Amino acid sequence: MKALVYNGPERKAIEQRPKPEIAAPTDAVVKLVKTTICGTDLHILKGDVPTCVPGRILGHEGVGVVDKVGNAVTAFKPGDHVIISCISSCGTCDYCRRGMYSHCVNGGWILGNRIDGTQAEFVRTPFADTSLYHVPAEAEEDALVMLSDILPTGFECGVLNGKVQPGSTVAIVGAGPIGIAALLTAQFYSPAEIIMIDLDDDRLEMSSRFGATAGINNKDGKAVEKVMKMTGGRGVDTAIEAVGVPASFITCQDIVAPGGVIANVGVHGVKADLHLERLWDRNISITTRLVDTVTTPMLLKTVQSRKIDAKKLITHRFKFDKILEAYETFGAAASTHALKVLIEF
Ligand SMILES: NC(=O)c1ccc[n+]([C@@H]2O[C@H](COP(=O)([O-])OP(=O)(O)OC[C@H]3O[C@@H](n4cnc5c(N)ncnc54)[C@H](O)[C@@H]3O)[C@@H](O)[C@H]2O)c1
Ligand SMILES: [Zn+2]
Ligand SMILES: [Zn+2]
């Protein structure tokens, strides 16, 4: 089969690989129908993720058809259409029993990281019964690719951890796919204001189409001043960090209102300052989270019923043979206006 292989920092190639086999009775082998590229894949290619070693097939998102299952798999059979979760969960360890699948001692975020991933014609998915989801009949599979990672990430790490409430004021720093997933799912709770902050006017414009009430370009460094003005000097109840750099975490600290929450979503590669000298008396909470994907079944229903139109996140489409071009397009989002690139087999 053909696969996109990580060959060390800044190096990747389409290579011929043997088709994966069932290695444990709880495994499935899935034939990919659609996959996509994540900001985290770009982190891997920068060399930011040491657990992902050269030779690894990239990718942790996708929709496909079950090709084979191990003896212990009961919920899926060959021919079933499935959503592949970016998190593999054994369902039985202490963390899984607490709903914290991201820290499953036997799985977690392993696809396209510690084991071969979904940017290939076939992938072996461990713990199939608890890590795959059935695609409902007549579902639009393009939209369902957003359920592997970005929708649960924006929702769980941003919206749920950020305690978004009816009538509340929310700011989302970073209007990439994850920030926009948080923007879409925050609207389940009817906050009064959702302010998007980015450095890219195009992404801010897209955000307004996805329901943001305001967009601020922080190129001039005045986002904090503007948010304070818009909120009568109070700040926001929820500040969602969806970039993963020290500057955006600082912005969140500067705009959070007393009693508010800073919900960090971004993957950080370097240390970031925490200004306790300004925050110690403000009754705030700071949360961090690796997506657990516990909300995937619920989010699937909201996509099915069109409460959210996840397909709108797809800006570009490529055949798998053109995946290198897809990476270039996704990596140059500022000039290509890419949000999510869909890769079809
Ligand atoms: N916690 C998790 O489980 C989890 C899961 C998936 C992704 N992530 C992380 O979430 C983050 C966002 O992912 P993405 O795919 O949307 O990334 P992205 O790079 O596509 O988007 C980031 C956006 O932030 C903007 N930006 C950059 N610096 C900024 C600044 N100082 N102020 C305001 N905006 C700024 C960029 O213009 C861009 O639009 C990444 O760090 C990614 O690795 C976390
Ligand atoms: Zn991802
Ligand atoms: Zn587990």
Side-chain angles (χ1 to χ4, degrees):
M1 67 167 189
K2 282 186 217 149
L4 186 77
V5 178
Y6 169 65
N7 285 326
E10 310 300 343
R11 292 175 52 211
K12 59 184 176 320
I14 297 180
E15 292 179 10
Q16 202 63 34
R17 285 297 184 89
K19 188 179 152 189
E21 294 292 338
I22 300 287
T26 47
D27 285 350
V29 171
V30 178
K31 184 179 195 320
L32 270 298
V33 175
K34 291 161 203 282
T35 184
T36 180
I37 305 170
C38 178
T40 307
D41 296 322
L42 303 184
H43 277 297
I44 293 174
L45 282 161
K46 275 194 228 151
D48 284 352
V49 184
T51 46
C52 184
V53 296
R56 181 71 67 236
I57 298 172
L58 289 168
H60 51 264
E61 294 160 276
V63 169
V65 181
V66 175
D67 181 58
K68 279 185 193 154
V69 293
N71 294 334
V73 175
T74 58
F76 298 93
K77 57 180 189 317
D80 285 352
H81 283 239
V82 291
I83 299 164
I84 301 164
S85 174
C86 66
I87 300 291
S88 306
S89 67
C90 74
T92 55
C93 75
D94 276 358
Y95 287 114
C96 284
R97 297 300 291 265
R98 284 157 60 192
M100 210 191 287
Y101 302 162
S102 60
H103 290 273
C104 172
V105 295
N106 303 305
W109 175 42
I110 54 174
L111 273 185
N113 174 16
R114 293 170 189 270
I115 65 170
D116 285 338
T118 56
Q119 290 168 13
E121 289 177 82
F122 293 87
V123 62
R124 179 180 71 87
T125 57
F127 311 114
D129 275 345
T130 39
S131 311
L132 298 176
Y133 297 88
H134 285 283
V135 169
E138 289 157 37
E140 253 192 312
E141 298 198 345
D142 292 3
L144 301 188
V145 179
M146 309 304 138
L147 285 163
S148 292
D149 178 354
I150 68 163
L151 286 172
T153 296
F155 184 58
E156 294 174 10
C157 311
V159 176
L160 290 183
N161 274 20
K163 296 195 167 66
V164 175
Q165 286 174 26
S168 68
T169 305
V170 179
I172 301 173
V173 186
I178 300 285
I180 292 193
L183 165 65
L184 288 172
T185 55
Q187 292 169 64
F188 296 150
Y189 296 96
S190 302
E193 308 281 344
I194 311 178
I195 306 165
M196 299 297 289
I197 303 172
D198 204 286
L199 307 173
D200 178 351
D201 281 331
D202 186 64
R203 286 197 159 174
L204 291 170
E205 201 273 315
M206 265 191 252
S207 307
S208 70
R209 279 188 270 133
F210 286 119
T213 54
I216 299 177
N217 191 321
N218 194 29
K219 257 197 194 139
D220 59 3
K222 290 193 174 155
V224 173
E225 201 180 299
K226 288 176 186 163
V227 170
M228 287 321 221
K229 206 168 164 199
M230 289 160 91
T231 56
R234 259 186 81 245
V236 298
D237 303 307
T238 301
I240 296 174
E241 195 290 326
V243 187
V245 298
S248 50
F249 183 56
I250 303 252
T251 303
C252 291
Q253 295 174 49
D254 290 339
I255 59 176
V256 68
V261 184
I262 298 175
N264 184 82
V265 188
V267 172
H268 290 262
V270 295
K271 72 186 174 83
D273 287 335
L274 173 62
H275 286 286
L276 276 178
E277 79 284 7
R278 297 204 295 265
L279 295 169
W280 70 270
D281 63 347
R282 293 177 71 82
N283 303 30
I284 65 150
S285 309
I286 300 175
T287 62
T288 70
R289 188 169 185 176
L290 176 57
V291 61
D292 289 299
T293 67
V294 276
T295 62
T296 304
M298 169 268 188
L299 290 168
L300 174 57
K301 288 181 192 160
T302 67
V303 172
Q304 268 295 88
S305 66
R306 307 251 173 167
K307 288 275 179 275
I308 45 181
D309 194 354
K311 205 178 145 189
K312 278 201 206 141
L313 290 160
I314 301 164
T315 52
H316 294 76
R317 286 165 189 271
F318 296 89
K319 282 293 195 193
F320 181 73
D321 288 340
K322 303 271 187 227
I323 192 169
L324 295 175
E325 232 173 84
Y327 263 91
E328 270 173 38
T329 302
F330 183 67
S335 59
T336 59
H337 306 322
L339 205 50
K340 271 311 239 189
V341 298
L342 194 73
I343 293 151
E344 298 172 293
F345 289 83

